[in-house]
């Protein structure tokens, strides 16, 4: 099957005690367009392919930009590394990564993601649809299209 290849993108991480000069973390990030099924509004953003995430999750601020009132959505408390009981509100989005990579997904919006400013593509809603290969050595990842 054909694949679409993406480069890892670098994220600057501030200096800390163990890393006084800071760091550049290479991550499987790419640009995306997300579109609300309910409002029809769309926006551009960055997403990180996160095979450790159970679901696709975006910052709550993205919902506002898409004209979605998260308080009208179904809520579930979620957790991640170092956090628990994050309110996460679910609805349907269309996600566009490339011409051959477009899909609908039931995603969460969480205020806990606002500080990160990017979305996560997780197991349910992304990895269930696509085969993904990570090539850390060459700083690339590939998504198999259908």
């Amino acid at each position: 099957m054909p694949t679409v290849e993406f480069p890892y993108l670098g994220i600057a991480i501030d200096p800390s005690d163990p890393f006084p000069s800071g760091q550049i973390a290479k991550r499987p990030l790419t640009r995306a367009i997300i579109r609300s099924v309910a409002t029809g509004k769309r926006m551009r953003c960055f997403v990180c392919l996160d095979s450790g995430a159970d679901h696709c999750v975006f910052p709550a601020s993205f919902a506002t930009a898409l004209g979605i009132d998260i308080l009208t959505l179904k809520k579930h408390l979620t957790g991640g590394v170092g956090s628990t009981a994050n309110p996460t509100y679910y609805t349907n989005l269309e996600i566009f990564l490339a011409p051959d990579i477009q899909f609908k997904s039931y995603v969460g919006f969480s205020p806990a993601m606002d500080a990160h400013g990017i979305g996560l593509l997780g197991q349910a809603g992304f990895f269930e649809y696509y085969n993904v290969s990570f090539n850390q050595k060459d700083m690339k990842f590939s998504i198999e299209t259908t």
Side-chain angles (χ1 to χ4, degrees):
M1 292 197 163
T3 61
V4 178
E5 194 172 84
F6 301 86
Y8 276 47
L9 298 178
I11 301 283
I13 299 176
D14 291 336
S16 63
D17 284 342
F19 303 100
S21 298
Q23 302 176 74
I24 299 293
K26 299 283 188 159
R27 299 208 174 127
L29 291 162
T30 190
R31 290 178 174 89
I33 296 172
I34 57 175
R35 181 182 169 277
S36 167
V37 172
T39 69
K41 291 185 178 181
R42 56 195 300 152
M43 67 175 282
R44 294 180 186 276
C45 66
F46 281 94
V47 293
C48 182
L49 282 63
D50 186 349
S51 62
D54 293 332
H55 299 274
C56 299
V57 183
F58 292 86
S61 60
F62 288 17
T64 303
L66 293 169
I68 299 168
D69 178 0
I70 62 171
L71 298 179
T72 65
L73 305 178
K74 293 180 181 178
K75 179 174 89 171
H76 181 70
L77 297 179
T78 62
V81 175
S83 65
T84 58
N86 298 314
T88 305
Y89 305 88
Y90 288 84
T91 192
N92 292 299
L93 286 185
E94 292 177 321
I95 301 172
F96 305 85
L97 300 182
D100 293 335
I101 306 173
Q102 304 173 15
F103 54 99
K104 288 185 181 175
S105 184
Y106 190 59
V107 308
F109 289 99
S110 177
M113 293 293 297
D114 281 339
H116 302 288
I118 63 170
L120 300 178
L121 299 183
Q123 293 293 327
F126 177 69
F127 284 95
E128 68 180 305
Y129 302 132
Y130 295 99
N131 290 324
V132 177
S133 298
F134 297 98
N135 182 338
Q136 180 74 20
K137 180 180 160 216
D138 293 334
M139 295 287 123
K140 298 187 257 189
F141 63 97
S142 301
I143 302 172
E144 190 175 285
T145 62
T146 54

